[in-house]
Structure formats: structure tokens, C-alpha cells
Amino acid sequence: MDLIANLATGFSAALTFTNLGLCLIGVVLGTAIGVLPGIGPIATIAMLLPLTYGAPPLGALIMLAGIYYGAQYGGSTTAILVNMPGETASVVTCIDGYKMAQNGRAGAALSIAAIGSFVAGCVGTLVVAAFAPALAALSFHFLSPEYFSLMLFGLVASVVLAHGSIMKAVAMVFLGLLFGLVGTDVQSGVVRYAFGVTQLYDGIDFVPLSIGLFGIAEIMRNLDSPTAREGIRHRVGTLWPTREEISRSWPAVLRGTGLGSILGILPGGGSVLGSFGSYVLEKRISKHPEAFGNGAVEGVAGPEAANNAGAQTSFIPLLTLGVPSNPVMAIMVGALMIQGIAPGTAVINDHPTLFWGLVASMWIGNLMLVIANLPLVGVWVKLLQVPYRILFPIIIVLCCIGIYVTQMSSTMIVFAVGFAVLGYLFSKLDCEVAPFILAFVLGPLMEENLRRSMVLSDGDPTVFLSRPISLALILASVGLFVLIALPHVRSTRQQAFQDED
Amino acid sequence: MLGRSIATFIAGLGTTAVILATSLTIPAQAQDYPTRPVRVITGYPAGGGGDMLIRHYATGLETETGQRYIVENRPGANGKIATDAVIAASPDGYTLFIFGSAGVAGNLFLLKEPGYDPTTDLITAATLTASGFFLTVGADSPFENMKALMDGLKSKSGTIKYGASTNVSIAASEEFLRAADLKATRVAYKTMGDAVRDVAAGQTDFLIADAAFAMAQAKEGRLRILAATTPERMPSAPEVPIMIEEGLADFIFTPRVFAWFPKDTPADIVEKTAAQLREIAASEETAKFLELNGAVPSLTASSVEAADVLKQDIEMWKRVTAAAGLEAQ
């Protein structure tokens, strides 16, 4: 009963004219930046943060949250139509979504992604509403050893996901870990691999790295091979999925929602892990694993649901513990502080209207997205149908502005160019970027938690095995690794990816 | 919305161009200074608590002068990037630097080649705020007060451990250990949230956190506040005893935020701005704003006095970096 009363409070707060307007602005803006490759939600939210100084706290949060989950929708549109992830969480959507587009099923892929995201968004919102207070307890069981083991599991999973040779995937993981080492060591304060460049003292910035590797490298690749350039010109086709596509999608959506909701709560790489994890899961349990990489609708439905569910539930650690689970949530902490609200469990108790209003706005925002987006697909396609010779300079300029404003530094643009060249090399060498980027993000967190576990346990490495959750995660990682190393599984895996190439 | 931010961006570019163009002409006259927008560089990232503080003072200066004060966030390398940008800026009075001495003074000992000397490359205009810190333990900790904690730590069998997520919290903890004559192992964190989690779970023995954050965490029953590092009890938490009352005679730790100009900035411009800043710092509005953020105004009578305070901060950073075993990089 409490829940209903609370949601009623929330809806009455969120349904004011101003807040509805801010929600709409947020989701439309979010979708647009999600659609346009190269500017992600992090850069946009950071750029728009100063605009919220004057807004009331709830309205500001509603708009910023709208940008974030709107971008999840928009990101999938670009992934499907152009084979470019609008942001990291939609990397896996490229694999099968783009294949569907090549098979003339772009419209169906877009609908399924949108509806899957909507279902996941609604469920995710309910999860936030119902379990935020209770789920806070789950994170309490996660101390440094558990986090280390969780990240280890994530890295092993990224090898399973990678196309092509296992050796290359493992190499990319290690390369990502090496890049993650750059910067000041947390425990000792030692600066590593910065070569006296002050911009590297805090590590390689994620924005130029991801925009370079994904955005600009992709443009280089497109300009390099004329055949790949027609990507944008795929016919969208009918938006209606076939009966078979629907019946294959809905279980995947539900599984993706479940997985994404759980992984979104865990601080560190939540929504990305969710979409990757869901893809692996779908492929594992599918009767037709060979279809994956060839336009399997489950490979779109599951991860899309997972990343949207994760986007919603990643608000749980922020609003309950004041712990941001990803860079976007970290900026949200800033937004709360600007409004004079110290993030923490006190938010739910001291500012119930804020908490429940935000929860209610997420549901409203998701509804707006599905209503606005399916009819608007045409507009987004138009946006992407602009001839490439016009589009790519615009994208590059937008990328550069996005990179520049995050630090007000032109050095960042130089970094982005460097990473673009690296990304181009990777694609020439058939090395996948996903394991690299995951290792780059997870590596520093993993190291931090490993070193901290060791300091806290006075140097006793058995700490990872004596704690049950950590032990389970380590066993799961070892199991997964043995599985991919087995000759039988390895050949099946190679078979699966070969079909796709 | 996007349009507006792009407009702001373009306006920013325009301002930069104007600054570049006019800096080549006649030096500014103090009586009509400022005649064009002033940029306020800071090392705090956009959107955090530090940024709010900068914007509070920038807005105050705008009200005083009728000119725009544009905050430029240049985060990174513990403020070195911002400091370098200020030192390289033209000393025409149109670049103001508002930042904590933790970065400007701390970097002198954290970096092998800081590349600057704040006492000569910068002109100290004013001290603005002093932040209060609280020493906390987990809410379930057996230690109810400072005396119990110190007795407990002295008789502890294993190593004493403290959590810290920033250079400031390291400095505060090392100053406390020195005053209490204790030795402890530092456990490093990237975020305060993680540090709170571990001290609440009993993994570390104590945590020194900024006052606003510690109060929010204590309110929700995760931390217990034992003492404040301020010279007097904080207006926002009058029930919390200060370290001095708890028997740590000379223990005061209140990291300050300063306002600086690049060296060679005309003295009359520095003094004019310094007087305006002192006025804003002393206003009731500022006191109210700071109370919310767990800080108090830091008032000095003149820029000379402010420069002396900076020298004290430099000494303090020299001491704590040595005590914490932080090697210059």
C-alpha cells in the first residue's frame, strides 16, 4: 500500500506542466544525441548541467534522467541502421541489429528494440520503486573482494563475446588493461605512463578514447571501403515485426530485463555488462546459436531490454547509497549537489517527492519515447540519410566539440585522433574493440579493488576465496574460461562467428 | 536547450577572442575595471561542490561590478592543469583563479617538477572559505567518543587502517595521526562512497570526511561523527565537539579556498577585486550558503595576510606529504 501511496505522490509531482515539458525535452534530446554517433549521454549531460542551475531540483533531475534513458533508445537506432554504437551499451546491438538491417528488416529491428526497451524501462522503473530501499542491502554485501571477482567475471565474459580468434580477444583485454594503467595509482599516488603529460595524470579520459575508437575510426573505415558506406541507405522496411520475430523476441526481452535490472544495480559497468551479458545468455540458450551474428532477433531484443533496464536500475545505488554506478550517475551526483541535496539514503526519506517524482517521470518518459519514437523513426532515418559526405564532417565537428567541452582542452582532441588511428588499425587487424573498452573501464576498478582487498586483509590472498559471493564469482569465471578453452566449445564458437563473416 | 548551450559555447569563444584582442592594447585602469567579462579559472570539475562555491563567488562579483564572470573548469592533475593555465594567462586582471590550496600548495610536494612557485608566480588576493572536516567511525563501532577511539587504537593488536579518497582526506588523517601520536596504514579509495562503505563494515578504523558529506551519511545511520577539525564548533553541527576539546591541543585542519591573479597583474586591480571578495566572503548570504556545504568563510584583513595563510598551507602540505610517505612524482 505504501508503494501505491508513494507512486501517487510521485505522479502528482511529475505530472505538472513544467516537469512534463522538461521530461519531453530530455527524452527527445537524449534520443537525438543517441542517434548521432559520437556524442554520448555523458558529454551531453555534462554540457547541459549548467542549464539546470536555475531549474527546480526535481525538474532538473527529470530532464537529465530523460537524456540518459532517451540515449539508450537513440543509440540502438544508430547501431541498427549504421552499425555504429550511439554509446557503449549498444555495442552488441550492432552485431545482429545491423545484420537485420542488411537483411531488409531494419524497421522490425527498430520496433523490437523500442518495444523491448519500453517493457524493460517499465519493469526497471517498477524495480526501482519497489526494491530501491530493499535492494540497497544487496550492495552492502559487496566489498572490495566481491567487486574484484565481479570485474574478473566481466572480463572473462568479454572474451567469450568477442568475434574471431580467442587469442586476439585475450590480447585486446590485456591491451585494454594496459591503457587503463595510465595515470595516478590510487594506493601509492605514483604516476604511471604519463610521460610528463599533465592531461594523463588522471588516466586516459574515457570520452576521447571512446569517441576516437568508435566514432572517428568508424568514419575512417567507411571512407576507406566504399561498400560499407551504403550502411545508412538501408531500407527501413515495415516497422511491424513478423509473428515469428515477436514470438522469438518476447522471452528474450524478459530475460534481458531481468539480467539488466540486476546488473544495473551493481556499481561499476552495470548497463554495459547487462547488454553484453544478455547477448551471451541469449546465444547460450538459443536453439539456433548459428543465427547470432546473422541477424538473430533475440540478439537485438535481449541486449536492448537489458541496457534500458540497467539504465533505470543504475539509479538505485545513486539514490539509495549516493554511490554512482557509472559516469552518467556521477554527473547526476553533481546535479543533486548543485541543488543542495547531499546524495545518500536520506534522499528517499528527506525528499520523498524528489525520489518518487523521478521514479514516476521515468515511466512517463518511457511512454513518451515509445509513442514519439516509432512514428519518429522516419525523422531519425532522415537524420541518418543525409549524404555521408555532408554527415561525416558534421559528426566530426560535433565529436570535437563534445570532446573539447568535457575538459576545455584541445589535447583531448589530439588523443581522440590517436585513438581513431588505433581503432582503424584494430579493425584492419580484425581485432574487436569491445573487450578492449571493457578491460579499459573495468581494469582500473579491478586493480583498485584487488589492491584494497590485499591491504585490508593484511596481504592474505585467500580473502577472495573465503567470502561466499566472491568465491562463487571466481568459480564462475574459471568455469567460463575452461569452457571457452575446451576444444569442442571452441570449434562451435568459431563456427558461429564464421557464419557471420 | 541545446541551442542555448551552443550559444553559450560560441559566446565563450567570442569572449576568448575579445580577451586576446584587447590584451594587446592599453593596460586596464582600476577605477573602471572590469570593462569586459572576466574569466574565473578553477581546477574543480563542473557540477561538484567546489564548482558551486566558485559560482557563488563569481555571481557575487557580477553583482558588485556589473560585468560577467565566466567560470572555466579546468580539472585534472590535482589542479595543475588549471594552475598552469592561470600562470600562462596574460596578467591584465581579466583572469582570476579561485581554487583550493590543496591543489596549488599540495602539488609542490606531490609533483617532482611542479613548474611553478605559488608565492611568486601567483598573487594572492584573498582567502575565501575554510572547510570543516569530521572524524567519523562506522555507526556500529564500539567507540562512542574520541577518547575511547584513541584508547582503542592504541591498544589495537593488528594494524590501524584509515580510509581516504583525496589528498585532502589523506592530509587530514595524517595530521590527526601526528597529533594523536599514532601510526596507521592508509587504504585508498576513488570515491568517498566506497570509503564510507568500508568504515561502516568495520574494514577500516576511521575516516575523515568533509562535514556536509559526513553529516548526510551520519543522518542515515552509516557513520558516527566523533569530532570536528575546525577551531570552533561548526554552526551547522554545534553538538559535535572539536578536536581541541577532545585533548588534541593544536589540531586544526581547515583546507582553504583562495583567489589568485597571475603575477604582474596591476596591484590596484588585485586590491580592488580582493576588497570585493572580502566583502562577499563576510556577507551573511555567504555564511548561509557555506553552512549548507559544511564550510565557513575564511576571513583575512588584507591580501598580505592572505599570502601569509598560503605560506602556512604550504608548510602544512610539506609536513603531511612527508608523513603520508607520498613521493613526489
Side-chain angles (χ1 to χ4, degrees):
Chain A
M1 277 312 102
D2 264 2
L3 178 64
I4 293 170
N6 284 331
L7 281 178
T9 318
F11 273 101
S12 64
L15 283 173
T16 66
F17 185 73
T18 321
N19 286 341
L20 278 177
L22 286 169
C23 188
L24 185 68
I25 292 171
V27 295
V28 171
L29 204 59
T31 314
I33 58 115
V35 166
L36 287 176
I39 31 169
I42 303 173
T44 312
I45 294 177
M47 273 160 71
L48 295 185
L49 201 56
L51 295 184
T52 66
Y53 290 164
L58 179 59
L61 276 190
I62 285 177
M63 190 181 90
L64 295 176
I67 294 175
Y68 182 42
Y69 54 76
Q72 311 287 329
Y73 275 75
S76 57
T77 308
T78 315
I80 290 166
L81 294 177
V82 204
N83 200 20
M84 275 170 103
E87 52 119 35
T88 330
S90 31
V91 169
V92 277
T93 311
C94 293
I95 305 172
D96 281 289
Y98 186 61
K99 271 276 140 58
M100 282 183 77
Q102 287 181 325
N103 299 343
R105 301 294 301 154
L110 288 171
S111 307
I112 284 168
I115 294 164
S117 294
F118 176 67
V119 172
C122 293
V123 176
T125 303
L126 270 182
V127 171
V128 177
F131 297 107
L135 281 178
L138 178 74
S139 298
F140 281 114
H141 293 292
F142 269 73
L143 297 179
S144 303
E146 283 79 11
Y147 279 114
F148 169 76
S149 307
L150 177 71
M151 317 271 165
L152 184 70
F153 182 74
L155 286 186
V156 176
S158 77
V159 172
V160 181
L161 259 166
H163 298 217
S165 121
I166 289 184
M167 278 319 290
K168 279 184 181 170
V170 172
M172 290 300 275
V173 165
F174 278 101
L175 200 59
L177 290 175
L178 287 176
F179 273 84
L181 285 179
V182 175
T184 307
D185 169 43
V186 181
Q187 183 66 36
S188 66
V190 172
V191 176
R192 302 183 294 207
Y193 304 111
F195 307 105
V197 179
T198 42
Q199 277 86 354
L200 288 178
Y201 280 20
D202 300 322
I204 297 171
D205 196 272
F206 186 72
V207 175
L209 179 124
S210 56
I211 292 179
L213 278 179
F214 286 108
I216 304 175
E218 180 67 27
I219 290 170
M220 286 162 73
R221 215 158 56 103
N222 284 344
L223 293 173
D224 183 42
S225 52
T227 44
R229 220 182 301 170
E230 65 189 302
I232 297 169
R233 303 204 193 99
H234 284 304
R235 214 166 45 84
V236 173
T238 172
L239 286 175
W240 296 105
T242 62
R243 196 174 293 255
E244 195 219 337
E245 282 167 342
I246 293 174
S247 71
R248 276 167 61 190
S249 302
W250 71 262
V253 165
L254 294 185
R255 283 189 294 265
T257 304
L259 193 67
S261 301
I262 295 168
L263 292 176
I265 296 165
L266 302 175
S271 95
V272 181
L273 267 188
S275 59
F276 278 70
S278 164
Y279 191 79
V280 182
L281 178 72
E282 291 309 320
K283 197 165 171 175
R284 264 288 125 82
I285 62 171
S286 169
K287 290 196 195 82
H288 314 282
E290 73 282 356
F292 281 79
N294 260 329
V297 70
E298 298 94 328
V300 175
E304 275 305 307
N307 74 37
N308 211 42
Q312 313 277 333
T313 57
S314 59
F315 277 90
I316 293 177
L318 175 73
L319 293 172
T320 56
L321 304 172
V323 180
S325 58
N326 57 40
V328 175
M329 291 302 126
I331 300 174
M332 291 286 179
V333 172
L336 281 169
M337 302 276 289
I338 287 172
Q339 305 287 352
I341 296 164
T345 47
V347 171
I348 299 185
N349 296 325
D350 296 355
H351 309 275
T353 338
L354 181 83
F355 177 79
W356 295 105
L358 182 63
V359 169
S361 87
M362 288 184 189
W363 193 82
I364 298 167
N366 274 293
L367 188 67
M368 283 179 180
L369 278 168
V370 86
I371 292 175
N373 263 3
L374 286 181
L376 279 180
V377 158
V379 176
W380 304 134
V381 170
K382 283 261 152 50
L383 196 61
L384 288 171
Q385 265 172 348
V386 177
Y388 205 66
R389 62 175 191 283
I390 296 176
L391 196 60
F392 87 81
I394 297 176
I395 295 175
I396 289 182
V397 169
L398 284 177
C399 284
C400 289
I401 295 176
I403 297 164
Y404 182 80
V405 295
T406 50
Q407 299 239 344
M408 290 292 172
S409 155
S410 47
T411 316
M412 293 295 141
I413 297 175
V414 177
F415 286 165
V417 172
F419 282 112
V421 173
L422 196 64
Y424 180 73
L425 271 180
F426 286 159
S427 86
K428 282 283 163 200
L429 295 171
D430 282 326
C431 289
E432 249 211 299
V433 185
F436 175 89
I437 202 115
L438 211 59
F440 175 78
V441 173
L442 293 182
L445 290 169
M446 200 168 142
E447 188 203 0
E448 186 194 345
N449 283 294
L450 170 69
R451 306 256 309 265
R452 188 185 302 137
S453 304
M454 298 305 283
V455 173
L456 287 171
S457 69
D458 292 317
D460 177 9
T462 58
V463 68
F464 298 104
L465 303 176
S466 58
R467 303 175 62 95
I469 299 178
S470 170
L471 178 67
L473 285 164
I474 297 242
L475 288 179
S477 317
V478 172
L480 203 55
F481 198 78
V482 170
L483 264 180
I484 48 171
L486 285 180
H488 158 73
V489 183
R490 211 155 120 183
S491 61
T492 327
R493 178 182 164 282
Q494 265 162 7
Q495 185 88 39
F497 284 123
Q498 228 149 44
D499 293 343
E500 173 199 342
D501 302 326
Chain B
M1 283 279 178
L2 186 63
R4 236 179 90 186
S5 85
I6 291 171
T8 316
F9 176 75
I10 293 169
L13 287 182
T15 314
T16 315
V18 171
I19 290 171
L20 285 175
T22 35
S23 61
L24 300 172
T25 57
I26 9 141
Q29 296 293 312
Q31 58 266 36
D32 27 82
Y33 167 87
T35 53
R36 53 190 164 88
V38 179
R39 59 176 185 157
V40 184
I41 295 184
T42 184
Y44 298 122
D51 186 46
M52 285 164 64
L53 194 88
I54 308 305
R55 286 174 201 275
H56 172 82
Y57 282 94
T59 314
L61 286 171
E62 283 181 354
T63 320
E64 291 267 332
T65 62
Q67 266 299 345
R68 288 193 62 199
Y69 280 72
I70 299 159
V71 176
E72 211 177 291
N73 303 91
R74 292 285 192 93
N78 194 28
K80 165 113 167 87
I81 290 174
T83 313
D84 286 350
V86 173
I87 290 170
S90 139
D92 53 7
Y94 289 90
T95 301
L96 177 62
F97 184 30
I98 304 186
F99 193 48
S101 60
V104 172
N107 277 343
L108 295 177
F109 309 100
L110 294 167
L111 302 174
K112 248 187 215 127
E113 290 166 17
Y116 66 87
D117 176 353
T119 57
T120 55
D121 290 323
L122 295 171
I123 303 174
T124 308
T127 53
L128 301 182
T129 64
S131 307
F133 280 69
F134 287 150
L135 188 143
T136 68
V137 292
D140 302 328
S141 158
F143 307 122
E144 296 283 345
N145 54 50
M146 279 306 292
K147 193 181 173 316
L149 174 73
M150 288 200 285
D151 290 345
L153 291 181
K154 276 183 178 135
S155 57
K156 192 183 169 186
S157 54
T159 49
I160 301 170
K161 298 186 185 87
Y162 75 86
S165 73
T166 59
N167 289 326
V168 176
S169 56
I170 294 174
S173 306
E174 291 298 335
E175 285 285 88
F176 163 69
L177 291 167
R178 187 179 65 93
D181 194 23
L182 291 166
K183 284 261 174 290
T185 305
R186 171 164 43 94
V187 184
Y189 295 86
K190 272 188 188 151
T191 66
M192 276 311 274
D194 288 351
V196 168
R197 179 197 69 201
D198 279 5
V199 76
Q203 302 267 309
T204 54
D205 295 299
F206 69 90
L207 173 70
I208 299 188
D210 70 87
F213 180 82
M215 261 163 32
Q217 296 289 330
K219 209 168 172 185
E220 65 199 47
R222 307 192 67 197
L223 295 181
R224 182 187 300 141
I225 298 171
L226 297 188
T229 63
T230 42
E232 284 155 32
R233 290 194 179 205
M234 294 194 59
S236 52
E239 71 285 357
V240 177
I242 56 171
M243 292 282 194
I244 297 166
E245 294 173 70
E246 295 292 320
L248 291 159
D250 58 344
F251 188 82
I252 294 169
F253 184 84
T254 52
R256 291 178 194 84
V257 170
F258 284 77
W260 290 281
F261 279 102
K263 73 167 171 188
D264 300 331
T265 302
D268 44 358
I269 287 180
V270 174
E271 289 310 324
K272 187 174 181 184
T273 308
Q276 285 162 344
L277 284 169
R278 281 196 295 268
E279 199 178 306
I280 299 167
S283 72
E284 199 162 308
E285 209 187 328
T286 300
K288 234 185 262 165
F289 170 82
L290 292 180
E291 194 177 324
L292 279 176
N293 295 289
V296 290
S298 171
L299 305 174
T300 37
S302 67
S303 52
V304 178
E305 198 183 318
D308 283 340
V309 176
L310 176 65
K311 285 195 185 115
Q312 291 166 23
D313 279 11
I314 295 173
E315 281 309 308
M316 192 270 290
W317 276 99
K318 188 175 178 180
R319 195 166 63 227
V320 297
T321 44
L326 293 173
E327 225 173 279
Q329 295 299 313

